[in-house]
């Protein structure tokens, strides 16, 4: 039993941390958010590092590493709140890897892994309710969960409406009707792996908000003392640590289980997604309170993490829906009502 | 990263499980505290004869010499099989380890074996009525007299004091030194005229703890652990032992409480109530996060050798989730949830102490803020 990243996994995480810190400084995030765009050159660099296909099989053109490796990379992408199609592409690739036919895999996985194409994902319920699709309408191909499994559609064939959400660091859209070619494999496993990937990003979002708040609480003085010396503030920060570490433990466990103990994945993924989405919001909102008035201004950077947590934390359903699924898997009642994707 | 047990860890778990199943002492006698304590003493003796009592102790002192992971597995199995706690809990998890780490050869010779066998019960005299979270402000005072010390003062929240032969006692030996530096760690013989033990009745109605009143109680020089004036450091070590390795057992306890809660909710026909489902899910998630956090801490401790301040999260989580679950059970149980004498009522009331005993949640949050997050100290 060893619940820690391996040296190689740690190296991947450190590399990603440095990559994002150097290239996605808050000014850059702000520029891209204001134009609601991605920097294709920077995404090209991520693709060269193999990140979109880090968990894709070698035969499909990927790095053949596991979900843990993707999770630590996305955690760092969330830490930087980097605007890029990495989440949509790596996420779509996870589902195609788990559920796609040989033809679907051959058509899309090598291109997603190389960065030549980008991906998107989301769900439309049988009664036509759409979730926010991550990286539509900008992507080339989309995974569409429809309550019966997952469909795969070239984005150009989907009737979608761009959604201008509060999270300007990523493109989102709603889809009018589910469409595409059904993927014959295990779409549930794909959805669970996707939930873990999103949770990993959210863990990084929470970590960054906490780091920002703690740094500010050390420096900012009121009544002649650093505000972090007051327990009302320091205990708020301790609560952030509890939330972030609970998320991280659940995310790492679920990423490990996805590859090593798949029978534990459904519960592990539901728990990770419920906790990480709630925790990222709690932590960013709590950070805003630590910053006080300045945190509420447009000029302050915290808003990017705060808004990302709110939108990304609902891409596969709300925390409430994930918790209901946890309750069902824990043996309570007849079972969860089937949402579009949750 | 690999969360599965290695072959040798799995073999260890099977060995523990088999032994516990074959040697389970059966249900504890109820309603008679003394009979229950003797039942636990004989259970401890049985464990000791098979080599299990000192699971964490080095083999040269009669222990099992188990790794931290094996200790976690062992504690998890104890909780899973619902065996009673050994009678001498404080001696096994605190007294023995502190004597092994800081004691002289003579002290080891004198004290260790009777701790393992349960022949001599240990208790802990740290807290005082005016020194709770601020333990270093304690006032019990030890004055030098030929060949030893005379101790006067009061201790409170002392578990098993009425059964104990020995008390791990912190007392002030230098009134002029800074508060952390004037304290000495003694082993006090409880069987003497200068020591009086009174039961302390708590909100559950039972008296699980005691108060100790000391009036010129005598302690010989050979019963000082570590240096005179160095007791604070010895105590810190002891408290670390108290927290290390117990996480796994605590998680198993919470799981049992959650399973009972799920059964209760179902019995009351509330399994489809959306609010109930949300809260049960929160507990499920919180308990799992605590289990995984304990495993991460364990892995880190095995690498570095010392438990870090992150361990404070586990104690906080335990109190938080146990209180919330017992509250909910009391709420959904109907009248039984507040009637005197039911298990639900007892757990509900007993858990009120969880966020106080062994470090208040507020103190744990201070530790996290100052030592993990590096926020400025309050004091």
């Amino acid at each position: 039993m060893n619940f820690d990243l391996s040296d190689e996994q740690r190296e991947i995480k450190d590399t990603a941390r440095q990559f994002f810190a150097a290239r996605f400084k808050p000014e850059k995030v702000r520029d891209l958010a204001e134009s609601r765009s991605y920097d294709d050159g920077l995404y090209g660099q991520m693709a060269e590092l193999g990140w979109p296909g880090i968990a894709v099989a070698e035969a499909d053109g990927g790095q053949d590493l596991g979900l843990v490796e993707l999770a630590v990379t996305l955690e760092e992408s969330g830490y930087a709140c980097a605007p890029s199609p990495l989440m949509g592409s790596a996420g779509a690739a996870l589902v195609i890897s788990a559920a796609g036919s040989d033809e679907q895999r051959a058509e899309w996985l090598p291109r997603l892994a190389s960065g030549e194409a980008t991906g998107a994902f989301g769900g439309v319920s049988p009664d036509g309710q759409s979730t926010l699709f991550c990286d539509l309408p900008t992507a080339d191909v989309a995974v569409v969960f429809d309550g019966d499994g997952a469909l795969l559609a070239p984005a150009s064939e989907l009737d979608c409406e761009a959604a201008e959400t509060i999270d300007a660091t990523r493109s989102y859209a709603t889809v009018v009707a589910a469409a595409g070619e059904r993927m014959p494999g295990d779409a549930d496993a794909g959805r669970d792996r996707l939930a873990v990937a999103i949770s990993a990003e959210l863990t990084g979002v929470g970590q960054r908000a906490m780091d920002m708040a703690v740094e500010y609480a050390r420096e900012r003085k009121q009544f002649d003392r650093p505000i972090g010396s007051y327990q009302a503030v320091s205990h708020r920060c301790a609560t952030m640590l509890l939330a972030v570490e609970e998320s991280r433990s659940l995310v790492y466990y679920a990423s490990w289980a996805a590859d090593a103990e798949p029978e534990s994945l459904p519960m592990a993924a539901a728990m990770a997604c419920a906790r990480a989405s709630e925790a990222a919001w709690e932590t960013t909102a709590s950070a805003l309170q630590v910053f006080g008035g300045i945190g509420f201004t447009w000029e302050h950077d915290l808003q990017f993490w705060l808004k990302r947590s709110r939108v990304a934390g609902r891409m596969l359903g709300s925390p409430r829906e994930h918790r209901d699924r946890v309750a069902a898997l824990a043996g309570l009642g007849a079972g969860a009502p089937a949402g579009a994707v949750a | 990263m690999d969360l599965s047990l290695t072959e040798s860890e799995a073999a260890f778990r099977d060995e523990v499980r088999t032994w516990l199943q074959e040697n389970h002492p059966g249900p504890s006698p109820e309603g008679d505290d003394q009979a229950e304590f003797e039942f636990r003493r004989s259970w401890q003796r049985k464990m000791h004869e098979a080599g299990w009592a000192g699971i964490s102790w080095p083999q040269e002192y009669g222990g099992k010499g188990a790794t931290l992971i094996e200790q976690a597995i062992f504690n998890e199995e104890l909780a899973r099989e619902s065996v009673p706690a050994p009678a001498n809990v404080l001696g096994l998890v605190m007294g023995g380890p502190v004597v092994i780490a800081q004691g002289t050869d003579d002290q080891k010779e004198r004290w260790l074996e009777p701790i393992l066998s349960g022949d001599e019960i240990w208790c802990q005299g740290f807290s005082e009525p005016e020194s709770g979270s601020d333990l270093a402000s304690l006032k019990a005072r030890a004055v030098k007299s030929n060949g030893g010390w005379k101790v006067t003062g009061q201790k409170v929240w002392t578990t098993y004091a009425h059964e104990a032969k020995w008390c791990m006692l912190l007392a002030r030996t230098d009134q002029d030194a800074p508060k952390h530096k004037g304290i000495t760690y003694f082993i006090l013989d409880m069987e003497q005229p200068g020591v009086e033990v009174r039961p302390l009745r708590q909100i559950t109605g039972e008296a699980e703890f005691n108060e100790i009143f000391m009036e010129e109680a005598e302690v010989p020089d050979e019963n000082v652990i570590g240096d005179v004036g160095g007791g604070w450091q010895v105590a810190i070590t002891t408290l670390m032992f108290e927290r290390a390795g117990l996480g796994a057992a605590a998680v198993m306890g919470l799981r049992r409480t959650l399973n009972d809660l799920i059964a209760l909710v179902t019995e009351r026909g509330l399994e489809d109530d959306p609010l109930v489902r949300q809260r049960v899910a929160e507990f499920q998630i919180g308990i799992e996060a605590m289990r995984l956090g304990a495993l991460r801490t364990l892995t880190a401790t095995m690498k570095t050798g010392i438990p870090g301040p992150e361990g404070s999260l586990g104690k906080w989580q335990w109190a938080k989730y146990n209180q919330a679950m017992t509250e909910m059970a009391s709420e959904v149980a109907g009248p039984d949830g507040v009637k005197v004498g039911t298990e639900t009522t007892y757990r509900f009331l007993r858990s009120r102490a969880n966020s106080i005993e062994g470090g208040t949640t507020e103190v744990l949050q201070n530790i996290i803020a100052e030592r993990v997050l590096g926020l400025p100290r309050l004091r």
Side-chain angles (χ1 to χ4, degrees):
Chain A
M1 206 285 308
N2 171 6
F3 194 1
D4 195 8
L5 301 177
S6 67
D7 290 344
E8 198 197 0
Q9 289 160 345
R10 192 161 295 286
E11 203 180 308
I12 291 170
K13 190 169 195 286
D14 291 344
T15 303
R17 168 74 61 109
Q18 288 158 19
F19 176 93
F20 287 113
R23 291 165 183 80
F24 289 94
K25 295 191 168 75
E27 311 84 83
K28 177 74 175 174
V29 173
R30 182 172 288 268
D31 282 348
L32 292 170
E34 281 179 357
S35 57
R36 289 195 181 247
S37 64
Y38 296 147
D39 181 327
D40 294 342
L42 287 180
Y43 185 61
Q45 291 181 28
M46 291 181 220
E48 269 168 38
L49 287 161
W51 291 344
I54 198 166
V56 170
E58 200 174 349
D60 293 322
Q63 300 291 307
D64 219 11
L65 293 167
L67 194 53
V68 175
E69 286 78 4
L70 176 62
V72 296
T73 308
L74 290 173
E75 189 183 334
E76 294 306 329
S77 156
Y79 190 80
C81 202
S84 91
L86 180 61
M87 181 78 240
S89 302
L94 281 178
V95 185
I96 300 169
S97 291
S101 65
D102 289 347
E103 294 73 24
Q104 289 167 327
R105 298 163 73 96
E107 185 179 1
W108 290 107
L109 287 176
R111 295 169 62 198
L112 287 170
S114 69
E116 185 194 331
T118 61
F121 58 80
V124 182
S125 65
D127 62 358
Q129 301 254 25
S130 174
T131 65
L132 283 171
F133 275 66
C134 171
D135 281 328
L136 268 188
T138 42
D140 300 297
V141 65
V143 167
V144 183
F145 293 98
D146 67 347
D148 282 331
L151 308 165
L152 190 62
S156 55
E157 291 173 19
L158 278 175
D159 185 0
C160 62
E161 286 169 19
E164 190 172 295
T165 73
I166 54 175
D167 177 17
T169 62
R170 183 139 69 198
S171 75
Y172 297 94
T174 53
V175 167
V176 175
E181 189 187 338
R182 181 148 313 273
M183 287 192 271
D186 191 347
D188 287 347
R191 178 208 53 204
D192 287 339
R193 294 166 73 88
L194 184 54
V196 178
I198 293 168
S199 309
E201 183 192 276
L202 288 162
T203 302
V205 169
Q207 176 78 46
R208 180 61 171 273
M210 176 176 81
D211 286 355
M212 290 167 81
V214 166
E215 192 190 344
Y216 187 72
R218 283 193 206 122
E219 307 299 329
R220 167 77 170 175
K221 286 190 176 158
Q222 288 289 276
F223 307 104
D224 302 322
R225 290 168 58 183
I227 59 171
S229 68
Y230 298 111
Q231 286 177 318
V233 175
S234 70
H235 288 187
R236 178 181 281 286
C237 294
T239 303
M240 293 183 201
L241 183 81
L242 180 75
V244 171
E245 291 300 341
E246 286 197 348
S247 300
R248 183 168 289 126
S249 293
L250 290 162
V251 166
Y252 286 2
Y253 165 65
S255 330
W256 171 81
D259 294 320
E261 202 181 273
E263 67 277 15
S264 303
L265 178 60
M267 177 61 121
M271 291 193 297
C273 210
R275 188 66 181 114
S277 43
E278 191 74 63
W281 166 248
E282 272 173 19
T283 304
T284 51
S286 188
L288 198 158
Q289 183 70 19
V290 170
F291 278 106
I294 191 74
F296 186 64
T297 63
W298 190 260
E299 68 166 292
H300 199 276
D301 296 322
L302 180 68
Q303 60 162 319
F304 299 116
W305 284 268
L306 180 107
K307 293 169 177 174
R308 169 68 74 87
S309 82
R310 196 69 192 168
V311 181
R314 275 142 190 81
M315 289 191 303
L316 278 193
S318 68
R320 179 181 56 76
E321 289 165 305
H322 298 303
R323 279 195 294 268
D324 200 67
R325 182 150 181 256
V326 170
L329 291 167
L332 209 57
V341 285
Chain B
M1 188 180 296
D2 184 0
L3 279 89
S4 42
L5 296 182
T6 62
E7 240 170 73
S8 76
E9 288 161 1
F12 178 82
R13 181 200 55 199
D14 294 344
E15 185 194 348
V16 174
R17 192 172 291 180
T18 308
W19 189 83
L20 288 175
Q21 285 167 354
E22 285 170 359
N23 292 278
H24 198 295
S28 306
E30 273 179 44
D32 178 347
D33 291 350
Q34 194 55 40
E36 198 222 338
F37 192 82
E38 290 309 321
F39 176 81
R40 289 170 51 196
R41 197 198 294 265
S42 69
W43 165 236
Q44 179 176 337
R45 194 165 290 130
K46 200 167 175 184
M47 285 174 78
H48 177 46
E49 280 158 12
W52 295 115
I55 182 77
S56 67
W57 298 24
Q59 287 178 349
E60 57 174 312
Y61 301 119
K64 191 80 176 171
T67 65
L68 278 176
I69 288 187
E70 287 171 343
Q71 292 174 43
I73 293 169
F74 180 75
N75 286 324
E76 200 169 301
E77 291 303 315
L78 289 183
R80 187 193 307 273
E81 300 297 333
S82 296
V83 293
N88 202 9
V89 176
L90 289 167
L92 291 170
V93 305
M94 299 178 73
V98 98
V99 169
I100 290 167
Q102 315 261 351
T104 63
D105 288 345
D106 287 346
Q107 289 173 332
K108 290 173 189 168
E109 181 67 27
R110 168 66 191 84
W111 282 318
L112 293 180
E113 173 60 25
I115 291 178
L116 286 173
S117 64
D119 288 342
E120 292 179 353
I121 303 300
W122 284 48
C123 66
Q124 182 206 61
F126 283 14
S127 297
E128 296 180 5
E130 290 184 49
S131 300
S133 290
D134 183 11
L135 184 59
S137 71
L138 59 90
K139 293 192 181 62
R141 143 180 217 166
V143 179
K144 197 84 185 80
S145 76
N146 354 316
W149 300 81
K150 288 191 175 194
V151 188
T152 301
Q154 186 185 349
K155 294 289 174 180
V156 72
W157 301 117
T158 313
T159 320
Y160 308 126
H162 57 298
E163 302 284 358
K165 166 69 177 167
W166 301 107
C167 176
M168 299 168 261
L169 178 76
L170 289 182
R172 191 164 298 284
T173 42
D174 184 346
Q175 304 294 327
D176 303 320
K179 68 177 181 179
H180 292 85
K181 304 227 159 119
I183 296 170
T184 300
Y185 197 114
F186 296 99
I187 305 299
L188 168 79
D189 188 341
M190 296 290 284
E191 295 171 1
Q192 57 170 306
V195 176
E196 190 196 343
V197 174
R198 289 183 209 155
L200 184 62
R201 199 162 183 226
Q202 64 214 46
I203 63 170
T204 55
E206 62 179 349
E208 198 182 336
F209 305 92
N210 303 277
E211 292 177 291
I212 304 179
F213 297 86
M214 294 164 292
E215 187 62 50
E216 301 210 329
E218 294 180 6
V219 189
D221 281 333
E222 61 263 30
N223 285 19
V224 171
I225 305 274
D227 297 330
V228 170
W232 185 253
Q233 269 316 311
V234 180
I236 293 291
T237 322
T238 318
L239 287 170
M240 253 162 48
F241 285 118
E242 188 182 19
R243 280 175 208 165
L246 289 176
V251 169
M252 284 305 282
L254 292 182
R255 278 232 179 114
R256 283 218 302 268
T257 306
L258 177 62
N259 290 341
D260 290 349
L261 178 62
I262 291 175
L264 177 65
V265 159
T266 309
E267 187 190 307
R268 307 283 298 181
L270 293 168
E271 68 271 28
D272 292 320
D273 181 301
L275 290 178
V276 167
R277 295 172 67 84
Q278 290 288 305
R279 290 179 68 191
V280 167
E282 278 172 21
F283 303 148
Q284 164 75 31
I285 293 165
I287 293 167
E288 186 64 2
M290 179 182 160
R291 177 182 81 90
L292 296 165
L295 293 180
R296 281 173 66 204
T297 303
L298 202 63
T299 301
T301 307
M302 287 189 77
K303 277 187 192 157
T304 61
I306 38 165
E310 298 83 2
S312 299
L313 284 176
K315 163 77 203 338
W316 175 7
Q317 289 166 309
W318 171 70
K320 175 179 162 180
Y321 297 122
N322 201 41
Q323 289 182 338
M325 284 193 292
T326 55
E327 252 172 68
M328 182 169 173
S330 158
E331 182 184 324
V332 300
D336 280 353
V338 285
K339 271 191 199 160
V340 172
T342 68
E343 180 68 17
T344 307
T345 303
Y346 174 77
R347 288 186 190 178
F348 163 65
L349 288 175
R350 179 61 184 81
S351 72
R352 297 307 97 196
N354 295 166
S355 50
I356 304 165
E357 55 195 338
T360 67
T361 295
E362 287 77 6
V363 164
L364 300 173
Q365 288 175 326
N366 287 348
I367 292 171
I368 290 162
E370 292 168 12
R371 294 176 53 199
V372 182
L373 298 176
L375 286 166
R377 290 176 67 91
L378 171 71
R379 302 169 295 282

